Amino acid sequence: MSNSLALKVRDPWSLVPSLGNLDAYITAINRVPLLTAEEEKDYATRLKEKGDVEAAGRLVLSHLRLVVSISRQYLGYGLPQGDLIQEGNVGLMKAVKRFDPDQNVRLVSYAMHWIKAEIHEYILKNWRMVKVATTKAQRKLFFNLRSMKHALKEGAENQQRASLTESEIARVAEELNVKREEVLEMETRLSGGDVALEPQTDDDGETFAPIAYLADDTQEPTRVIESRSRDRLASDGLQQALEVLDPRSRRIVEERWLKVNDDGSGGMTLHELAAEYGVSAERIRQIEVAAMKKMRKAMVAETA
C-alpha cells in the first residue's frame, strides 16, 4: 500500500503490527506519512469539538515514529524497547487528548513532554537495580547523569577514566541543582551491576549466594526496640495494669489467667471463685471481663 493511501484506509491501525515483532512494527510505522499542519489542525479540531475518536487515532498513528525515536534515548537502563515504546504510546495518547489546536503549536512539540514523562515513570518503577529518585532534582540527576558524564569525558585527556573527578562532580551538582553527595551516590548506583540474591544453579550441591549471609533482620534496630517493648509490657506493664484493679478483681484475674500450679494446672475455676465470694459464676465472669478491659486501657496508656 502506498504512503498516500496509508491514512485513507477505513482502519489505519490494521497497518501497524503488534509490538511482539519490534522490527516489523518499526518498519510499518515508518511508512505512515506525517500529517501536514493543516491536516493536523483539522483532526485536532474534530477531536476537540466533536470528540471524534477516528481523528484522535489518526493523530496518534502519525506520531508513533516519534515515540520510537524517543525510546531509543532510554535503552541504557536495561529495559526492553518494546515496553518503553508501549509506555511512550500511552504518553502520546494523553498528549493527543489534551492537545489544543488553537495554540498554534505542532503536536510533535507538545507530545514530546508527555511521551518522556510516561517513559520516565515506567523506568523509575521498574528499573531492576534499585528504586531511586524521589524528588524532582533527583529525577533530573537520574536521567541526565549518564549523558553529562559522557560529555565531560569527551573533553577530558584521559577518556578511559570511569569515575568523575571532584571538579566534574561539582559541575554536575551545580548544573542540576543537587548536592555533591547525591551525585556520588547516583553515580555509584548507575555504575553498579546486578547481583543475584538466590543461587543461580540447579545442582544439588551446596551453593552460597548473598542471601545466605545477609544480616539477620531480628537484629535490626527497630525490631530490637519492639522486642524490648514487648518484654517490658509483659513484665512491668502487666504489673502496673494489675495495680489499677481492686483486690477482688485482681485476685480473680490472677487465679483465672496468671496462676500456674506445680502440676501444670491453672488457678481456680469460675464456680470455685463464685462459691468463695458468695455470688454466681456469671457475676465472677462479669467482674473478670470488666477487669480485663480496665487493664487493657492501662497498658495502652502506658505505651502512648
Side-chain angles (χ1 to χ4, degrees):
M1 182 175 292
S2 66
N3 285 351
S4 61
L5 297 176
L7 286 180
K8 297 180 181 180
V9 295
R10 187 175 186 84
D11 180 16
W13 289 101
S14 63
L15 302 173
V16 181
S18 70
L19 276 167
N21 188 337
L22 189 58
D23 290 337
Y25 174 86
I26 294 175
T27 300
I29 64 173
N30 283 336
R31 291 174 178 166
V32 177
L34 298 175
L35 297 174
T36 65
E38 293 74 18
E39 290 173 330
E40 180 179 291
K41 187 169 184 178
D42 177 59
Y43 284 131
T45 301
R46 283 164 51 184
L47 173 61
K48 179 181 178 182
E49 296 179 354
K50 302 178 181 180
D52 191 329
V53 177
E54 181 181 349
R58 306 280 175 157
L59 290 169
V60 171
L61 187 64
S62 67
H63 288 80
L64 291 178
R65 69 178 70 186
L66 173 64
V67 177
V68 172
S69 176
I70 293 175
S71 73
R72 293 194 179 104
Q73 303 172 22
Y74 300 94
L75 295 179
Y77 296 100
L79 296 170
Q81 187 179 10
D83 292 349
L84 295 173
I85 293 173
Q86 183 169 303
E87 295 301 317
N89 286 345
V90 173
L92 172 60
M93 288 185 281
K94 289 182 178 180
V96 167
K97 182 179 180 181
R98 294 168 173 80
F99 181 60
D100 186 353
D102 298 325
Q103 294 296 320
N104 294 321
V105 176
R106 291 299 301 268
L107 177 58
V108 63
S109 300
Y110 181 75
M112 287 180 66
H113 164 76
W114 290 95
I115 295 169
K116 288 183 177 181
E118 209 68 29
I119 292 177
H120 285 187
E121 286 299 318
Y122 174 75
I123 292 174
L124 290 174
K125 290 178 181 177
N126 296 278
W127 196 43
R128 65 178 181 261
M129 286 176 61
V130 65
K131 297 293 186 288
V132 293
T134 57
T135 67
K136 185 176 181 179
Q138 287 175 334
R139 287 181 179 223
K140 191 174 182 180
L141 173 60
F142 179 84
F143 286 108
N144 287 277
L145 183 58
R146 286 179 188 270
S147 58
M148 289 189 68
K149 186 175 178 180
H150 179 69
L152 289 170
K153 296 306 175 192
E154 284 184 343
E157 294 182 1
N158 183 5
Q159 297 185 13
Q160 300 301 318
R161 177 171 40 80
S163 60
L164 293 170
T165 64
E166 286 296 326
S167 61
E168 289 170 342
I169 291 172
R171 181 177 171 182
V172 171
E174 181 179 359
E175 289 191 20
L176 299 180
N177 193 29
V178 295
K179 296 179 181 178
R180 173 185 172 279
E181 292 77 12
E182 291 178 321
V183 176
L184 286 170
E185 180 184 6
M186 191 65 71
E187 184 188 15
T188 301
R189 290 179 173 181
L190 290 175
S191 61
D194 293 341
V195 177
L197 291 179
E198 297 285 359
Q200 302 297 307
T201 179
D202 296 329
D203 298 337
D204 294 330
E206 188 175 20
T207 306
F208 291 97
I211 198 170
Y213 48 80
L214 289 176
D216 183 359
D217 63 1
T218 59
Q219 300 304 312
E220 196 269 330
T222 56
R223 294 288 187 92
V224 174
I225 293 173
E226 290 175 358
S227 178
R228 289 176 180 174
S229 179
R230 286 194 298 269
D231 292 343
R232 184 177 59 79
L233 283 175
S235 55
D236 298 344
L238 179 59
Q239 186 61 37
Q240 292 176 13
L242 286 170
E243 290 176 357
V244 304
L245 303 178
D246 61 82
R248 183 176 65 171
S249 297
R250 177 168 179 167
R251 181 160 184 268
I252 290 174
V253 170
E254 289 177 338
E255 288 288 343
R256 294 279 294 145
W257 294 96
L258 303 177
K259 188 174 182 180
V260 180
N261 297 320
D262 294 337
D263 60 359
S265 62
M268 300 173 67
T269 65
L270 288 174
H271 291 283
E272 290 172 339
L273 288 166
E276 179 178 328
Y277 286 108
V279 295
S280 66
E282 176 60 21
R283 177 57 184 155
I284 295 296
R285 190 193 66 80
Q286 292 173 356
I287 295 173
E288 177 187 343
V289 171
M292 298 294 283
K293 288 182 179 179
K294 197 170 184 179
M295 289 177 65
R296 280 196 292 268
K297 185 180 294 185
M299 295 181 80
V300 170
E302 174 67 17
T303 59

